[in-house]
Amino acid sequence: MEAAMGLMRRIHPKQTETALSALLSLLPDHSSDLLSQVDQPLQVLCDVECGKEFILCEYNRDADSYRSPWSNKYHPPLEDGPHPSPELRKLEIEANDVFTIYRDQYYEGGISSVYMWEDDNEGFVACFLIKKDGSKSGHGRRGYLQEGAWDAIHVIQVGAEEEGTAHYCLTSTVMLSLTTSDESSGTFNLSGSIRRQMNMDLSVAEGHLCNMGRMIEEMESKLRNSLDQVYFGKTKEMVCTLRPPPEGVQLRLPEI
Amino acid sequence: MADFEYQDPEPELSENQKKEIAKWFLLNSPAGEIQYVAKDLRSVLMDEKVYNMAVSEAFPLYNKSYMICLEMPDRSGDVLVTSFGELDENEYLDPRTAQVATVDHVKQVCTEVRHAIDEELPSAYIEEFRCALDAEIIKYVGEAYPKGVCSVYCINGKDVEEPGSDFELAVVISASKHSPQNFCNGSWRSVWIIEFKDDQQVVEVRGTMQVGAHYFEEGNVQLDANHECRDSTILQSPEDCAISITNIILHHETEYMTSLEASYSNLPDTTFKELRRKLPVTRTLFPWHNSLQISLTRDITKELGIGK
């Protein structure tokens, strides 16, 4: 299992799906471990009843069906798929509404879905998902990207309320890929995935949604920032080590 | 490349299917990481026979595709493992020293060298062009790449003895840096195909540059960039050809490096913004405490049909 995760750390992020199915076929006995530890690009289905798209993940799946956060129904229909309690469903509806606006403001497009379910410790778990296609042909506002995908998965475990506070444990993964391509500079692609965790004890005076929202917003900004500054920066540094930028060389040789 | 598909794990995979999967992982290893991938793969496979088949097929392809550089045992320098210099699967010509290196692909070492025989080398006429270009390229690579290795091969018409016929050279530049302790690896590869066309008295130059970088400390982020270009110059003496071809290469590679830097500097405010903005359109953090109200307002505007 450790070796399998080692392979996933090296294989190109764009090939995650192929690599995962390859590992699943080599290690059928570890399939549940692999599926829970390897994040895959998010898939989308259309809720025909509401005419809205929703995101699929392990948390809204039962057998081969997925529950839509909009109609609360399974697609394809499933007789006795689990649903959150009426109280939690109310929070789930609200979270979906608010998260739609949040997503619009930061992503200028894309799809989002929020799922919640009760856990065994009197608390609950919420999963916030965002999928954005930022390519020219997708939701890219400015048309810079030949291809551009951002998938964010935020899973928050909310502990039971004690004396007005609750414990929140957030695990977030961002997977992204962006490609620009043109005649004069060729094809340029950056892809990657990172995962981070954040723990907080917060007063529930303003409600769980407020707390979860703020944590996710902070986490997303941190992840975006470290991808931009650290991860992309390190690859740039590497390129400049291989072939240091022009200046010095250009001085010596005349242009053609 | 990969000719396997994920099937229900029920039927046990055949040895051949396992080998193909293993090869796929090996061939898709980032620059400088195939040994690590092989090690992990060995423990995943738990089948030495399949593992050995996979490595023996995948390593030669990987080594040639990354144009790895190996030290020759007699201290006569480095040899590049490329398809241009391949005499047979384990023998690679080093045109500069006119030697043939025997390579152990899986260990990625050069085990012995011998002098090349006449049939393996170009004619004296071609060698003049090749050698002059090699000398200029060495100078250029020495200045532009701190760890660059280069080689110039004759890939067509090596037996041409005098003016009147076409021939082709290939310039290969390979630079790589591996620092596993910093979780970072990268490679730069450029291949320039130089066609000497006698009837038109021109030299046509076609180049492909490929750059890759992998940073994987608590994550996995990879850069993949490539670019192709063309140019030409007039056919002159070997020395003059060498200078003008090297200038063409220098010009295009420098330009490409500049465009790579531009791609990076466009990231924060243009390209990356297409995926997610740093701040919302409102330029302030999201008002979570008012969220209920926002969502109500939104519902109302939607109902009244005054929204977007």
Side-chain angles (χ1 to χ4, degrees):
Chain A
M1 199 49 213
E2 203 181 304
M5 293 311 289
L7 289 173
M8 293 308 302
R9 199 161 65 124
R10 299 198 183 268
I11 215 74
H12 199 284
K14 270 189 171 173
Q15 290 162 331
T16 306
E17 278 172 296
T18 319
L20 180 63
S21 33
L23 287 175
L24 286 169
S25 57
L26 289 176
L27 303 166
D29 298 342
H30 289 87
S31 58
S32 61
D33 283 350
L34 283 165
L35 286 167
S36 67
Q37 287 185 44
V38 178
D39 291 304
Q40 294 178 79
L42 298 169
Q43 306 291 325
V44 171
L45 212 74
C46 187
D47 181 335
V48 263
E49 200 169 298
C50 307
K52 282 166 93 173
E53 290 180 301
F54 65 100
I55 303 177
L56 316 184
C57 67
E58 279 303 292
Y59 307 116
N60 64 333
R61 183 183 71 86
D62 195 54
D64 293 324
S65 294
Y66 294 88
R67 184 170 64 89
S68 157
W70 315 120
S71 63
N72 203 19
K73 288 184 180 155
Y74 278 87
H75 296 66
L78 191 68
E79 279 291 307
D80 45 5
H83 290 85
S85 67
E87 201 188 339
L88 197 58
R89 171 63 189 155
K90 210 179 133 223
L91 185 62
E92 188 184 78
I93 294 174
E94 197 188 329
N96 272 290
D97 285 346
V98 174
F99 210 53
T100 301
I101 308 167
Y102 167 84
R103 193 244 310 139
D104 251 354
Q105 293 197 357
Y106 272 101
Y107 291 84
E108 304 173 275
I111 304 165
S112 56
S113 298
V114 183
Y115 302 103
M116 296 186 185
W117 64 99
E118 278 88 7
D119 75 354
D120 309 331
N121 319 317
E122 291 172 45
F124 66 96
V125 187
C127 173
F128 294 74
L129 305 163
I130 292 178
K131 186 174 185 65
K132 164 89 189 270
D133 174 357
S135 70
K136 257 184 237 182
S137 51
H139 283 166
R141 277 293 161 96
R142 304 161 194 89
Y144 291 126
L145 295 178
Q146 207 67 30
E147 178 264 345
W150 170 291
D151 288 356
I153 304 171
H154 305 282
V155 180
I156 287 203
Q157 272 180 301
V158 183
E161 221 178 290
E162 265 177 58
E163 294 169 11
T165 64
H167 181 74
Y168 298 83
C169 172
L170 167 65
T171 308
S172 299
T173 305
V174 166
M175 289 166 277
L176 89 170
S177 169
L178 56 90
T179 309
T180 56
S181 176
D182 67 62
E183 191 97 329
S184 65
S185 54
T187 310
F188 178 88
N189 167 268
L190 280 165
S191 320
S193 73
I194 54 173
R195 184 194 273 205
R196 294 287 184 272
Q197 222 176 55
M198 182 193 270
N199 281 284
M200 279 181 150
D201 290 301
L202 298 167
S203 149
V204 293
E206 285 189 287
H208 287 307
L209 187 54
C210 235
N211 291 339
M212 294 192 288
R214 286 196 187 117
M215 281 177 76
I216 289 173
E217 186 174 20
E218 188 185 335
M219 178 68 107
E220 281 204 334
S221 300
K222 271 190 186 160
L223 291 176
R224 188 197 187 279
N225 203 38
S226 69
L227 280 164
D228 190 9
Q229 304 292 316
V230 182
Y231 286 81
F232 293 171
K234 287 282 181 182
T235 64
K236 182 185 178 189
E237 226 173 78
M238 176 52 81
V239 176
C240 293
T241 317
L242 293 170
R243 193 185 191 288
E247 284 99 342
V249 185
Q250 231 170 11
L251 290 174
R252 193 188 67 93
L253 281 137
E255 284 293 282
I256 298 158
Chain B
M1 245 207 273
D3 50 355
F4 64 88
E5 268 170 34
Y6 175 58
Q7 294 154 343
D8 236 285
E10 299 301 320
E12 186 64 15
L13 290 176
S14 71
E15 276 191 351
N16 200 44
Q17 283 170 312
K18 282 191 193 171
K19 184 198 74 187
E20 288 303 323
I21 293 178
K23 264 178 75 180
W24 180 85
F25 275 103
L26 293 164
L27 291 174
N28 283 286
S29 313
E33 296 180 35
I34 192 170
Q35 298 289 5
Y36 300 92
V37 169
K39 189 171 159 256
D40 283 337
L41 210 48
R42 193 176 206 158
S43 15
V44 168
L45 285 170
M46 288 185 297
D47 184 332
E48 285 301 299
K49 186 178 163 205
V50 170
Y51 171 79
N52 286 325
M53 284 196 295
V55 293
S56 68
E57 288 179 32
F59 268 78
L61 298 172
Y62 177 92
N63 291 343
K64 281 185 279 179
S65 127
Y66 276 98
M67 307 194 294
I68 64 161
C69 161
L70 303 176
E71 201 181 323
M72 291 189 279
D74 63 347
R75 297 174 161 229
S76 55
D78 296 321
V79 58
L80 280 174
V81 178
T82 71
S83 53
F84 306 116
E86 183 177 25
L87 299 175
D88 72 43
E89 188 163 89
N90 302 317
E91 284 200 321
Y92 293 84
L93 176 70
D94 175 40
R96 190 172 303 143
T97 57
Q99 294 189 107
V100 175
T102 307
V103 165
D104 181 329
H105 280 289
V106 178
K107 289 190 182 142
Q108 296 185 314
V109 292
C110 170
T111 50
E112 52 185 301
V113 285
R114 63 165 170 87
H115 290 292
I117 51 171
D118 284 352
E119 290 80 78
E120 290 161 342
L121 297 170
S123 68
Y125 170 67
I126 300 289
E127 183 58 19
E128 255 193 273
F129 282 92
R130 197 208 63 76
C131 183
L133 184 55
D134 194 37
E136 285 301 317
I137 295 287
I138 292 175
K139 268 194 261 169
Y140 158 62
V141 169
E143 282 182 21
Y145 298 85
K147 291 217 164 123
V149 184
C150 57
S151 196
V152 181
Y153 302 92
C154 174
I155 54 171
N156 241 325
K158 76 179 176 61
D159 299 322
V160 171
E161 308 250 356
E162 54 188 28
S165 302
D166 298 350
F167 61 95
E168 250 174 272
L169 300 182
V171 173
V172 171
I173 300 171
S174 170
S176 57
K177 183 168 163 124
H178 307 313
S179 46
Q181 70 283 9
N182 297 320
F183 307 98
C184 209
N185 294 306
S187 79
W188 173 297
R189 289 169 277 169
S190 35
V191 173
W192 297 89
I193 304 294
I194 328 273
E195 276 181 274
F196 292 76
K197 294 193 164 166
D198 194 82
D199 51 345
Q200 299 156 40
Q201 291 290 301
V202 293
V203 178
E204 284 189 358
V205 180
R206 277 179 294 134
T208 312
M209 294 165 271
Q210 266 180 290
V211 188
H214 183 204
Y215 180 62
F216 52 101
E217 183 168 20
E218 290 184 62
N220 177 0
V221 172
Q222 307 202 13
L223 160 78
D224 256 311
N226 60 75
H227 183 41
E228 287 179 21
C229 55
R230 283 170 173 278
D231 212 325
S232 64
T233 177
I234 45 166
L235 186 57
Q236 312 159 72
S237 72
E239 288 71 28
D240 292 338
C241 271
I243 291 171
S244 54
I245 293 166
T246 307
N247 268 331
I248 288 176
I249 294 177
L250 171 137
H251 172 75
H252 286 285
E253 293 195 344
T254 310
E255 208 166 57
Y256 182 49
M257 190 60 210
T258 311
S259 89
L260 281 178
E261 287 197 288
S263 297
Y264 272 111
S265 51
N266 284 337
L267 277 171
D269 296 318
T270 52
T271 30
F272 204 3
K273 199 172 174 182
E274 293 283 69
L275 295 182
R276 186 188 185 274
R277 304 171 58 93
K278 263 185 217 156
L279 276 176
V281 276
T282 57
R283 293 182 189 281
T284 51
L285 289 180
F286 190 75
W288 294 99
H289 51 282
N290 281 331
S291 56
L292 199 57
Q293 204 197 329
I294 298 170
S295 106
L296 286 175
T297 325
R298 193 176 134 106
D299 285 349
I300 293 164
T301 49
K302 216 191 265 172
E303 253 164 56
L304 297 175
I306 53 177
K308 305 185 234 184

